[in-house]
Amino acid sequence: MADSTGKTDKDVAPQIQATDVQVEKRASDDESAEKGVFEHINLNKNISARIKNPLADLSPAQVLRDVEEFANEHGLVDVLPALKKGALVARDPDHYESVPDMTPEDLTTIDDEVTHKWRQPRRLYFTIILCSIGAAVQGWDQTGSNGANLSFPDALGIPEKDNPNAARNQWLVGVVNAGPYIASACLGCWLSDPVNNYFGRRGAIFGSAVFCFIAPIGSAVCQTWPQLFITRLLLGLGMGLKGSTIPIFCAENTPAAIRGGLVMSWQLWTAFGIFLGFCANLAVKDTGDISWRLQLGSAFIPAVPLLIGVYFCPESPRWYIKKQRIKEAFESLRALRNTELQAARDLYYIYSQIKVEREIAGDGNYVTRFIELFTIPRVRRATLASGTVMLAQQMCGINIVAFYSSTIFEKANATVTEALFASWGFGLVNFLFAFPAIFTIDTYGRRALLIFTFPQMAWTLLAAGFCFYIPTESRAHLACVALFVFLFAAFYSPGEGPVPFTYSAEVFPLSHREVGMSWAVATCLGWAAVLSITFPRMLAVMTPTGAFGFYAALNVTALVMIFLWVPETKQRTLEELDYIFAVPTRIHMRYQAFKVFPWWCQKYILRRNVTLEPLYKFDGVQTRGDNRAVKE
């Protein structure tokens, strides 16, 4: 395709090298013969920290010519008028009113993206909710094993109490509980890249649901602990594939302005699964020897709607674009957006950004893409940030409660029934306090939620540990332990709960999205396995107070890591994040340490009226309604 100077893409390509900023003069041939300046930003080293719209420096005439070629090439001539209007809106999103041929309905549609941003098609909500139900499998299994820990070790010959092999059996119980996370981290997550490549997002989700349906039923009929361990390994294959695919699928289908709020439904359903698992534990607690079998086996239930409904969802438009199936991408966007204009605009904008994104790396094989997670600067920064938030989810200590709350409350002198009811209370708090994140994650941002909640989790966990010093004969002993565990869950659920999977699904370029998400989820579930294996022995050796104090310190460590290494991603399209993660880590760290931290101290401690210079500069990119709000 030739540009306005007559150069072909092959002529221009050698000029685009890995320099900090390059400038190319592009003479437009519209009526006024204006000259535009196209400033190329290196997506591996964005020292200027600018976020750029790839269409902004093209003249309207050039955009219209490019769109016409695009439509002819990909069989979209029948929607060419909508594509032209959509491309011009994408070129200058803050002045969409000046685009020719915009009808009153078109103007209302674009306005509603800010004033009624939750007014979205039913198929979008159906897709997000149905797929996120898959997260309930993981939550339900956590709590199923949590309740089963009170009885399955004795039933399968690995008792932890009054036994000369108690230490060995404590490790075995931890390993059995960790089975799904071991399999997820070692294999399940890494299946995501090849399975997504060949079968698409929906095919990968269907395959994961098959494992999540069969494995819990197998767990319920096991006769020995090795059999139980194997069935839980099979469950891990489904959990890893599901956890690596569903957040990506949801993120790729959702508009930027509400992406966080919808993609975090993954955490909402995980929390709901935890709550339902605790309900199931209570429901079957008096069924005698089969109670643990019912507690583990009931986790198959959330997989049923996923198996049945996933192919009623539109496939990811970005996956179609990656496969050069542009017409199908438009049909998918048409189902996921309110109007044809929005679908056409998003299609061409995504397509244009992905063309720029391809300068980061080509289409290498699976092994090459994995190596590039650590060698390509832009991708490496996403790898660091996603790994940080995923690791922090385990460092905060939530899973010592989700996996072992019944055991913890039992050590607080609770009966079996009291321990299960206290665990049920934890599950309820965890679920209810996930809802605020739906409305705050895209308003305050991912970083703000994390930085606020980690200090709160640290002190509540420390307080819960010190409550074990209250004499056990006092009724306040169990009550205080439960209170601070509930407060811990209340701070976790709107912060570190929804952010890691939402964040990791956003930050990688399309070329590395599957393998990048595999890395992130493997990091999370791999450390979950370590936690599950070690915590029974940690409780025995360090006492609950020592164990809780240890995780309180890890919360502080995680806070520092997030402050320095995790950039904000709210309200940016997935392709615009390429510019954010092109900013070198040292520049981001320097800005946080020497500008953000002193500003915060002066504003909130010394109470001074000071302003903070933003790190990122927006060049021709809509600021997601901020400008429009000012105009109104």
Side-chain angles (χ1 to χ4, degrees):
M1 183 175 66
D3 65 12
S4 58
T5 64
K7 294 182 180 180
T8 65
D9 289 340
K10 290 182 179 179
D11 295 324
V12 175
Q15 301 175 23
I16 304 179
Q17 303 296 331
T19 57
D20 294 340
V21 178
Q22 292 181 339
V23 177
E24 170 189 314
K25 296 291 184 179
R26 191 189 288 264
S28 65
D29 59 354
D30 58 357
E31 292 182 356
S32 59
E34 294 176 342
K35 289 186 178 181
V37 179
F38 172 71
E39 187 169 350
H40 174 74
I41 297 175
N42 180 359
L43 292 185
N44 280 322
K45 196 175 182 182
N46 183 10
I47 292 178
S48 62
R50 292 172 64 196
I51 302 174
K52 190 168 182 63
N53 180 342
L55 304 176
D57 291 308
L58 301 178
S59 70
Q62 180 65 52
V63 170
L64 293 176
R65 283 198 304 273
D66 291 349
V67 168
E68 195 161 345
E69 289 184 24
F70 170 78
N72 289 327
E73 180 181 353
H74 297 289
L76 293 170
V77 177
D78 54 328
V79 293
L80 183 56
L83 279 172
K84 287 183 174 180
K85 279 198 292 187
L88 291 176
V89 171
R91 173 185 174 272
D92 191 4
D94 285 326
H95 300 92
Y96 60 93
E97 305 97 331
S98 61
V99 173
D101 301 322
M102 289 285 281
T103 66
E105 292 77 12
D106 292 335
L107 296 175
T108 300
T109 294
I110 305 301
D111 276 335
D112 283 349
E113 292 180 334
V114 174
T115 58
H116 299 91
K117 65 180 181 179
W118 292 98
R119 187 179 291 169
Q120 301 293 336
R122 275 185 261 183
R123 288 195 71 184
L124 174 63
Y125 286 117
F126 173 80
T127 298
I128 301 299
I129 293 171
L130 176 79
C131 292
S132 296
I133 288 174
V137 175
Q138 181 174 329
W140 199 317
D141 174 73
Q142 287 177 6
T143 49
S145 61
N146 186 318
N149 284 333
L150 298 177
S151 53
F152 93 79
D154 291 331
L156 298 183
I158 49 173
E160 298 181 83
K161 298 176 182 177
D162 303 323
N163 187 282
N165 295 318
R168 166 186 170 272
N169 291 348
Q170 288 162 357
W171 287 110
L172 283 177
V173 169
V175 169
V176 171
N177 283 326
Y181 308 99
I182 294 171
S184 294
C186 295
L187 183 58
C189 294
W190 303 107
L191 291 173
S192 174
D193 190 283
V195 173
N196 273 273
N197 184 52
Y198 289 109
F199 301 106
R201 310 287 189 241
R202 295 181 301 178
I205 293 169
F206 179 83
S208 72
V210 172
F211 282 98
C212 292
F213 176 79
I214 295 174
I217 298 174
S219 299
V221 298
C222 291
Q223 301 302 311
T224 63
W225 73 261
Q227 291 176 359
L228 179 59
F229 179 61
I230 290 171
T231 60
R232 290 179 66 73
L233 289 177
L234 293 175
L235 175 62
L237 296 181
M239 283 173 50
L241 181 57
K242 169 176 59 66
S244 300
T245 303
I246 290 178
I248 288 176
F249 184 55
C250 295
E252 290 182 340
N253 287 348
T254 309
I258 57 170
R259 188 176 63 240
L262 288 186
V263 178
M264 69 78 51
S265 63
W266 170 270
Q267 170 60 22
L268 185 66
W269 280 96
T270 299
F272 189 51
I274 290 173
F275 174 66
L276 290 178
F278 282 127
C279 291
N281 289 348
L282 282 170
V284 303
K285 71 181 180 65
D286 296 323
T287 56
D289 293 341
I290 65 168
S291 63
W292 68 269
R293 297 183 183 277
L294 297 175
Q295 288 164 344
L296 291 175
S298 59
F300 83 92
I301 295 173
V304 176
L306 196 61
L307 272 171
I308 296 172
V310 67
Y311 279 102
F312 291 98
C313 303
E315 180 57 273
S316 162
R318 286 174 169 89
W319 185 82
Y320 278 136
I321 292 174
K322 183 177 182 179
K323 294 296 181 180
Q324 291 298 305
R325 294 160 63 175
I326 306 299
K327 193 166 187 178
E328 290 165 285
F330 177 75
E331 293 303 321
S332 180
L333 277 168
R334 187 64 190 86
L336 295 166
R337 300 294 183 265
N338 286 312
T339 66
E340 186 175 81
L341 173 63
Q342 290 171 305
R345 177 202 60 191
D346 290 356
L347 175 72
Y348 194 70
Y349 188 71
I350 293 168
Y351 177 82
S352 301
Q353 284 279 20
I354 288 174
K355 283 177 64 179
V356 176
E357 183 182 277
R358 284 180 183 146
E359 74 179 73
I360 299 172
D363 297 322
N365 59 36
Y366 177 70
V367 175
T368 301
R369 287 197 298 276
F370 174 76
I371 294 172
E372 287 171 347
L373 289 179
F374 308 97
T375 57
I376 296 177
R378 180 265 180 262
V379 184
R380 185 175 65 237
R381 295 176 197 117
T383 302
L384 173 64
S386 64
T388 297
V389 295
M390 285 295 198
L391 177 60
Q393 191 172 74
Q394 304 309 318
M395 294 173 70
C396 77
I398 187 62
N399 281 333
I400 66 175
V401 183
F403 294 167
Y404 294 107
S405 64
S406 298
T407 304
I408 291 168
F409 291 128
E410 189 182 44
K411 286 186 175 294
N413 210 31
T415 64
V416 170
T417 299
E418 288 172 339
L420 291 175
F421 267 109
S423 294
W424 178 85
F426 160 76
L428 180 62
V429 171
N430 187 42
F431 173 55
L432 292 179
F433 279 84
F435 281 96
I438 295 176
F439 307 102
T440 58
I441 194 169
D442 287 312
T443 303
Y444 296 107
R446 287 65 160 152
R447 269 179 60 88
L449 292 181
L450 295 177
I451 290 172
F452 170 74
T453 57
F454 266 93
Q456 320 310 323
M457 290 189 290
W459 75 259
T460 51
L461 208 55
L462 192 62
F466 280 121
C467 286
F468 279 88
Y469 285 125
I470 299 173
T472 55
E473 61 272 12
S474 170
R475 294 178 64 86
H477 181 87
L478 176 60
C480 289
V481 171
L483 171 64
F484 286 108
V485 167
F486 293 171
L487 286 174
F488 169 75
F491 285 119
Y492 165 84
S493 292
E496 180 60 14
V499 168
F501 281 86
T502 302
Y503 190 87
S504 300
E506 300 172 329
V507 297
F508 291 97
L510 183 62
S511 58
H512 293 73
R513 191 162 292 151
E514 295 92 342
V515 69
M517 190 64 178
S518 297
W519 146 264
V521 178
T523 299
C524 179
L525 299 185
W527 284 102
V530 172
L531 185 151
S532 180
I533 292 170
T534 58
F535 194 67
R537 189 60 185 158
M538 184 182 290
L539 272 179
V541 175
M542 298 176 62
T543 73
T545 301
F548 278 34
F550 174 77
Y551 278 98
L554 289 185
N555 271 277
V556 177
T557 305
L559 173 65
V560 175
M561 293 165 58
I562 288 165
F563 184 75
L564 294 176
W565 296 337
V566 176
E568 182 57 75
T569 61
K570 71 168 182 173
Q571 298 187 350
R572 304 261 61 86
T573 70
L574 297 181
E575 289 70 36
E576 288 167 2
L577 293 180
D578 287 330
Y579 297 99
I580 288 177
F581 285 93
V583 176
T585 302
R586 69 180 184 277
I587 292 178
H588 183 267
M589 291 176 64
R590 190 183 306 132
Y591 177 77
Q592 299 302 325
F594 298 111
K595 290 195 175 181
V596 174
F597 183 69
W599 166 83
W600 187 90
C601 291
Q602 291 189 61
K603 183 174 179 64
Y604 294 104
I605 297 178
L606 302 179
R607 313 301 295 177
R608 293 176 180 171
N609 185 18
V610 291
T611 58
L612 176 66
E613 179 188 356
L615 174 61
Y616 304 110
K617 291 89 178 174
F618 300 100
D619 186 4
V621 178
Q622 178 180 315
T623 52
R624 305 296 162 215
D626 294 343
N627 291 351
R628 209 175 304 168
V630 170
K631 288 192 297 183
E632 293 170 354

